[in-house]
Amino acid sequence: MTSPIPLLSLLILIPLAGALLIGVCASLRAAKLIGLTAAGLTLLASLYLVYAFNPDDGGMQFVEQYPWIPSLHIDYFLGVDGIALLFLPLTAVLTVLALLASWHSHGQSRLYVALVLVLEAATLGVFSALDLVLFLVFWQLTLPPLFFLIGLWSADPLRRHTASKYLLISLCGSVPLLLAIIILAVNHATQLNSNLPTDLSFSFPVLLETPLPDNLQNLVFVLLFMGFAVKAPLVPLHTWLPQVAMTSPAPITALLISMKLGLYAIIRFAMALTPSAAVEYDWLLGIIGAITLIYGALLSLQQTNLRRLLAFASISHVGLVLIGLASLNMQGIQGALLHLLNFTLVAAVLMLLAGFLQHRLGSTDLHQLGGLAQALPKLSGFYFVFVAASLGSPGGGVFPADLLLVLGALQAHPSLGITALVGAILSAACLLGFSRRAFLGAAGALAVTGQDLRPREQVVLAAALVLVLWGGLVPNSLQGFNQKAAEAWLTRLLDQPGMQGDELAGLGLERGVLRQPRSG
């Protein structure tokens, strides 16, 4: 559905305009107000998109397409479906929370606020792009602001090393992405028996309809998966995240944890563009997910620093989402999408709380913590609520997501479903064990400096809590948006010529079960 008003472009331009205005303002306070206003307007615009979205349409909506590089058939092409839609307000909400949480941070400057807005615009572009070259441009545009945000705003002496490592790993991951995109475009021209470059195409909808030989499908799937696994992150490409968690400001780490661009891209591009390869190697996806899940949980058990613990816990949950995708059924895909929306919000807020502790104590190391429930009762109360939500307690948004995901995994691959349950137990053990000693144990070596949660911080946490409870108490309000798009996605994967009835039955489906009867 083409939009008469360029709503998605407006969504991307608002934070960019805010960043430009910050460049000409005179004071840091004015920059903060401009940044918060731009982020707030972006949030309102994203909520209007949700309001105007038609959940009964499984295709792309709010489509904008304009020629960009006509000689190569590269367009400025935007659009969202039910899979991508809710990531837009999630990004906007987390940006607002990050700006509010860092309002009183020391050493902040106008550049910091501007870079956060540029990062928001690039992230929104990743979720909206339907031209693969445009997608890659937005994907790369997330790197410069993160490089400077990680490398400049921290007292850690390793911050520049960590920023450089993150940049180099991300750039290396972009190489297979570019190669895969070129192969897809050249294959389109080859299928038309045309000369290059007159019939190249980088349009995602066009490439979905272009036949891709099995040997190329396998190659493209591997290349895309390798490139996206870096940002997910999946084991063994995860090493940058714990380092970033220890060296960068907590709000920036919260944004990195919450921006699951790699997992989104695996769903949107890697599996959709190479359906036969995705089905053939679903067992491999499940194994990689299981390894990431258990490995991240076991390393979380060994951590004595809250920020590193949360980083490894986030890596573990990346594996859980991949297990859901490997299930190749509606429960698995919807559970994975809901988990991405709900858990990433909870994990981001927990990282913000770790930042609040760092600001008041100067450390989040367990051997220096203790008795925090008495010294900081409000902060401790919010912390335990969000820890319970992260563990999938009923009432929080993670509970219905994990329930769907585990049911989907048990239906398709019982061993993976059991692995998911074991991972949940290990996650509970590491978080509850750390929390008991840090918050309920004897007073630690560090004295609490400063007051309990400030009013602005309480507003941030209360707003996030409302969203978490909403996702848990009214899960259909989120699930309904991606129902049709998830059905279309799954039908594309399973409706392959090589898929036999017994194979589909093993995945919990039958051929054609997802198809809706055509009217007339």
Side-chain angles (χ1 to χ4, degrees):
M1 181 184 72
T2 303
S3 174
I5 302 175
L7 294 174
L8 291 174
S9 292
L10 184 64
L11 195 69
I12 296 170
L13 289 174
I14 291 174
L16 288 178
L20 291 175
L21 285 176
I22 289 172
V24 298
C25 70
S27 66
L28 176 58
R29 178 174 177 79
K32 291 180 178 179
L33 291 174
I34 292 173
L36 188 59
T37 301
L41 291 175
T42 305
L43 175 58
L44 291 176
S46 67
L47 293 176
Y48 177 76
L49 278 171
V50 174
Y51 170 76
F53 185 82
N54 178 13
D56 294 327
D57 183 357
M60 295 294 172
Q61 302 183 38
F62 313 114
V63 173
E64 306 170 33
Q65 187 170 12
Y66 311 100
W68 182 23
I69 308 177
S71 60
L72 295 177
H73 292 208
I74 299 174
D75 295 338
Y76 177 82
F77 191 10
L78 302 178
V80 292
D81 61 358
I83 291 176
L85 175 71
L86 294 178
F87 289 102
L88 302 179
L90 176 65
T91 302
V93 165
L94 289 168
T95 302
V96 172
L97 296 182
L99 289 173
L100 287 173
S102 59
W103 197 268
H104 294 288
S105 298
H106 298 297
Q108 196 181 111
S109 68
R110 293 178 300 162
L111 179 60
Y112 176 92
V113 183
L115 288 174
V116 171
L117 293 179
V118 173
L119 177 61
E120 179 185 24
T123 304
L124 293 171
V126 168
F127 290 129
S128 305
L130 293 181
D131 184 282
L132 294 189
V133 173
L134 182 65
F135 165 80
L136 188 60
V137 169
F138 282 124
W139 182 272
Q140 295 295 84
L141 284 178
T142 63
L143 299 182
L146 282 171
F147 174 77
F148 290 110
L149 288 168
I150 295 169
L152 295 180
W153 280 276
S154 173
D156 195 294
L158 295 177
R159 64 187 185 277
R160 294 179 182 175
H161 168 76
T162 302
S164 299
K165 178 178 179 178
Y166 171 73
L167 181 65
L168 290 174
I169 289 178
S170 299
L171 289 175
C172 289
S174 299
V175 174
L177 293 185
L178 179 59
L179 181 57
I181 291 172
I182 293 173
I183 292 173
L184 288 167
V186 172
N187 174 73
H188 178 268
T190 302
Q191 294 296 325
L192 296 177
N193 296 318
S194 301
N195 296 322
L196 299 176
T198 55
D199 285 304
L200 292 174
S201 179
F202 299 92
S203 167
F204 176 63
V206 171
L207 293 176
L208 284 178
E209 302 300 324
T210 303
L212 188 63
D214 288 343
N215 60 330
L216 285 183
Q217 278 212 37
N218 294 335
L219 176 60
V220 170
F221 177 75
V222 170
L223 291 173
L224 290 176
F225 186 81
M226 287 175 55
F228 297 143
V230 173
K231 281 269 186 87
L234 292 168
V235 173
L237 304 173
H238 66 287
T239 55
W240 59 267
L241 184 55
Q243 292 186 20
V244 168
M246 293 300 297
T247 57
S248 66
I252 304 308
T253 307
L255 287 175
L256 261 176
I257 286 178
S258 61
M259 293 188 310
K260 290 296 189 291
L261 301 182
L263 286 172
Y264 164 79
I266 289 173
I267 299 171
R268 164 63 71 222
F269 298 107
M271 299 183 74
L273 288 169
T274 59
S276 295
V279 172
E280 181 180 354
Y281 295 110
D282 71 307
W283 60 271
L284 181 59
L285 294 180
I287 291 174
I288 295 174
I291 292 173
T292 301
L293 171 65
I294 300 301
Y295 181 82
L298 290 176
L299 285 183
S300 296
L301 284 170
Q302 301 176 11
Q303 302 309 312
T304 58
N305 186 285
L306 180 57
R307 287 181 294 168
R308 283 182 64 85
L309 186 154
L310 293 174
F312 280 111
S314 177
I315 293 169
S316 178
H317 281 263
V318 169
L320 185 61
V321 172
L322 201 60
I323 287 176
L325 297 179
S327 302
L328 295 181
N329 53 36
M330 280 300 296
Q331 294 93 333
I333 177 60
Q334 287 205 296
L337 289 172
L338 289 178
H339 191 89
L340 283 175
L341 293 168
N342 288 284
F343 179 79
T344 51
L345 174 61
V346 173
V349 174
L350 285 173
M351 188 59 72
L352 292 179
L353 283 164
F356 295 159
L357 281 177
Q358 178 77 28
H359 179 70
R360 286 162 172 79
L361 301 173
S363 174
T364 53
D365 285 325
L366 181 59
H367 68 277
Q368 294 181 309
L369 303 179
L372 296 179
Q374 291 184 341
L376 301 169
K378 294 179 182 178
L379 189 151
S380 301
F382 274 110
Y383 173 83
F384 278 107
V385 168
F386 281 101
V387 164
S390 73
L391 298 179
S393 300
V398 178
F399 174 72
D402 283 359
L403 182 61
L404 282 170
L405 198 152
V406 172
L407 287 176
L410 286 171
Q411 182 180 1
H413 307 287
S415 59
L416 290 181
I418 294 172
T419 303
L421 293 173
V422 172
I425 294 172
L426 292 175
S427 296
C430 70
L431 272 173
L432 293 178
F434 186 98
S435 302
R436 177 183 60 82
R437 288 176 286 174
F439 287 83
L440 303 177
L446 294 177
V448 176
T449 58
Q451 63 185 33
D452 204 350
L453 290 176
R454 300 184 179 92
R456 182 178 288 107
E457 294 168 339
Q458 294 181 49
V459 170
V460 169
L461 297 174
L465 180 58
V466 169
L467 294 176
V468 171
L469 293 175
W470 180 26
L473 299 176
V474 197
N476 284 342
S477 62
L478 302 179
Q479 195 174 352
F481 284 105
N482 61 43
Q483 177 80 23
K484 295 296 183 182
E487 288 180 357
W489 181 88
L490 191 58
T491 300
R492 173 175 173 78
L493 263 66
L494 299 184
D495 198 13
Q496 298 297 314
M499 292 292 290
Q500 303 298 323
D502 54 345
E503 293 177 287
L504 291 173
L507 295 169
L509 291 169
E510 295 179 0
R511 184 177 297 281
V513 73
L514 297 178
R515 293 190 181 276
Q516 301 296 321
R518 294 185 180 180
S519 58

